[in-house]
């Protein structure tokens, strides 16, 4: 193992920090905002089933691969790929994969920040006397106000830039350590609330009873994209974090814990939200507004709802921040290494780019709503391009890199594995299963 080699950006302060930071990256709007609405748009159980299969069969093996590349390369994703390609005597064109990953990160951040802005603005919602109608109309009011959307989007990017410019290795741990369990507890509380709405079982049935007739190429691609998105895979975020991971940490166990925590949070969010949807006569296919319409209804109906509601959206905003910093870190680390510029300069540069592109997403709900690409507004089009195309494609190449480009002895050495059954199953997956399945979903969708 690469004992002495450390990243020029530093190392996590303890073994737990990597797990915390990677979980902080994975758990975010993807779990609480995106997963429920995508499940609702795609018919519930069928989507959830394909999503869970994608997490286990494709996501987990690729996550191991990403951590491993990062830790062995000990630099930004682009430069880690470059040095590992050199170690395997192949072309440095693999740097490109890291570079497009950094670009995907910026594009994701551009619209992620707009949605994170919704969460921040909901901190001040008040959570009193909210009905299904009033909740829908206040969300629509927010969307129709360009100034509010741009304000919150700008604030979110500014906070992200502030944290990343100071360096993510310090301080992150403490925050994630205490705030994530609190977020988890409020989601549990919402689940308990959901139990007494009278529609709890209807919600569970919707989420977990697959209607196989609803599985089609589109559902499969969306579930695949969501699996990558929620685990922060396919663009180098986990790779960048892996570069700061101590050499004596077990990569396999770490990856399993992160994936399990992330999936648990998404499922609990679904369990909390769908009963509220049905109990209030809302449609599961409400779209991106689903959580923002349903949860305020629940908070306004429960005791101490103002307290819990405010706290929930504070914590959700922080969870979004611990994700957004991982979207920009691969690009920042790369700029620092290759242009030899200061961290603060690199961060401001990329933050500005994400902010600027994000303006179009913010305006796509109001002033620019007529402007569509392939029938999607700018927000949805960026989401589609990144999550359904760039991340899975990045995932195929990462799997190929680990399975076919890197030498097997280097892989074994870095993972600290014996050539046992688990290794063989994983290696088979990155060599054959993951690339083929992702390829098939693409073929199936585009042909
Ligand atoms: N996983 C995060 C979420 O669920 C979003 C995210 C952070 C992400 N870093 C990423 C998505 C890298 C894709 C790639 O909210």
């Amino acid at each position: 193992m690469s004992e002495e080699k450390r990243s020029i950006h530093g190392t996590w302060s303890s073994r737990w920090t990597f797990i915390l930071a990677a979980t902080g990256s994975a758990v975010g709007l993807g779990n609480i905002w995106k997963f429920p609405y995508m499940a609702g748009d795609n018919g519930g159980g069928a989507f959830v089933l394909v999503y869970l299969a994608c997490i286990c069969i494709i996501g987990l093996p690729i996550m191991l691969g990403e951590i491993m590349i990062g830790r062995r390369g000990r630099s930004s994703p682009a430069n880690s790929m470059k040095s590992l390609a050199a170690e395997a005597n192949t072309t440095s064109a693999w740097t490109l994969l890291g570079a497009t990953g950094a670009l995907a990160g910026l594009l994701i951040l551009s619209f992620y920040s707009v949605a994170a802005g919704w969460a921040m603005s909901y901190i001040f919602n008040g959570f009193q006397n909210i009905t299904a109608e009033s909740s829908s109309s206040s969300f629509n009011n927010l969307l129709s106000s360009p100034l509010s959307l741009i304000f919150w989007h700008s604030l979110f990017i500014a906070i992200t830039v502030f944290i990343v410019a100071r360096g993510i290795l310090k301080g992150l741990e403490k925050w994630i350590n205490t705030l994530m369990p609190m977020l988890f507890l409020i989601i549990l509380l919402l689940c308990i609330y959901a139990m007494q709405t009278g529609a709890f079982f209807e919600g569970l049935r919707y989420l977990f009873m697959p209607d196989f007739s609803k599985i089609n190429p589109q559902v499969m691609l969306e579930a695949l994209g969501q699996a990558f998105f929620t685990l922060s895979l396919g663009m180098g975020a986990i790779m960048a974090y892996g570069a700061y991971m101590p050499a004596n940490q077990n990569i396999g166990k770490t990856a399993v814990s992160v994936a399990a925590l992330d999936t648990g949070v998404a499922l609990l969010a679904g369990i909390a939200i769908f009963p509220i949807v049905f109990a209030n006569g809302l449609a599961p296919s409400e779209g991106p507004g689903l959580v923002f319409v349903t949860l305020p209804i629940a908070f306004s109906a429960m005791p101490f709802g103002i307290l819990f509601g405010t706290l929930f959206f504070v914590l959700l905003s922080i969870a979004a921040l611990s994700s957004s910093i991982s979207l920009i870190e691969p690009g920042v680390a790369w700029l620092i290494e290759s242009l030899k510029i200061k961290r603060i300069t690199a961060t401001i540069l990329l933050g500005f780019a994400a902010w600027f592109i994000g303006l179009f997403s913010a305006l796509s709900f109001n002033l620019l709503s007529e402007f569509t690409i392939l029938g999607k507004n700018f927000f949805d089009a960026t989401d589609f391009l990144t999550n359904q195309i760039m991340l899975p494609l990045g995932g195929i190449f990462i799997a190929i890199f680990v399975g076919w480009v890197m030498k097997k002895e280097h892989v074994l050495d870095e993972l600290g594995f014996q050539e046992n059954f688990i290794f063989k199953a994983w290696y088979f997956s990155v060599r054959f299963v993951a690339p083929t399945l992702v390829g098939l979903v693409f073929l199936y969708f585009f042909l």
Side-chain angles (χ1 to χ4, degrees), residues 269-354:
I271 293 172
I273 286 163
F274 284 105
I276 307 173
V277 170
F278 294 119
N280 290 283
L282 294 161
S285 57
E286 181 83 15
L290 189 67
V291 273
F292 293 98
V293 174
T294 46
L295 294 188
I297 306 176
F299 287 124
S300 106
M302 70 172 65
F304 305 106
I306 306 178
L307 178 72
F308 289 126
T310 309
L311 194 59
F312 175 83
F313 283 100
V314 169
L315 295 169
L316 182 59
S317 306
I318 294 173
L321 274 171
S322 67
S323 301
S324 67
I325 57 181
S326 74
L327 284 164
I328 197 173
E329 177 67 16
V332 167
W334 186 44
L335 284 190
I336 297 174
E337 290 163 8
S338 18
L339 303 183
K340 309 272 182 291
I341 53 177
K342 288 214 206 78
R343 179 168 269 274
I344 182 165
T345 320
T347 317
I348 291 179
L349 220 68
L350 295 185
F352 179 80

Side-chain angles (χ1 to χ4, degrees), residues 22-35 66 101 104-105 108-109 111-112 225-238 241 262 316 319-328 330 386-387 391:
T23 310
S25 164
V27 175
L29 298 174
N31 308 60
I32 291 159
W33 160 68
K34 205 156 198 294
F35 169 75
E66 275 206 32
I108 296 177
L109 179 59
F111 73 88
Y112 196 83
Q226 174 64 11
F228 276 95
F229 182 79
T230 191
L231 295 177
S232 303
L233 295 179
M235 54 72 67
I238 296 294
Y241 280 12
D262 184 74
L316 182 59
L321 274 171
S322 67
S323 301
S324 67
I325 57 181
S326 74
L327 284 164
I328 197 173
T386 50
N387 296 333
L391 297 182

Side-chain angles (χ1 to χ4, degrees), residues 14 47-48 100 105 146 161 198 224 278 322 334 387 428:
S14 87
F47 172 89
V48 176
T100 45
V161 166
L224 178 72
F278 294 119
S322 67
W334 186 44
N387 296 333
F428 184 72

Side-chain angles (χ1 to χ4, degrees), residues 46-47 49-50 210-220 444:
F47 172 89
L49 188 73
V50 183
D211 172 354
F212 289 100
S213 68
K214 290 206 170 125
I215 298 185
N216 59 36
Q218 176 169 351
V219 170
M220 285 169 67
Y444 199 34

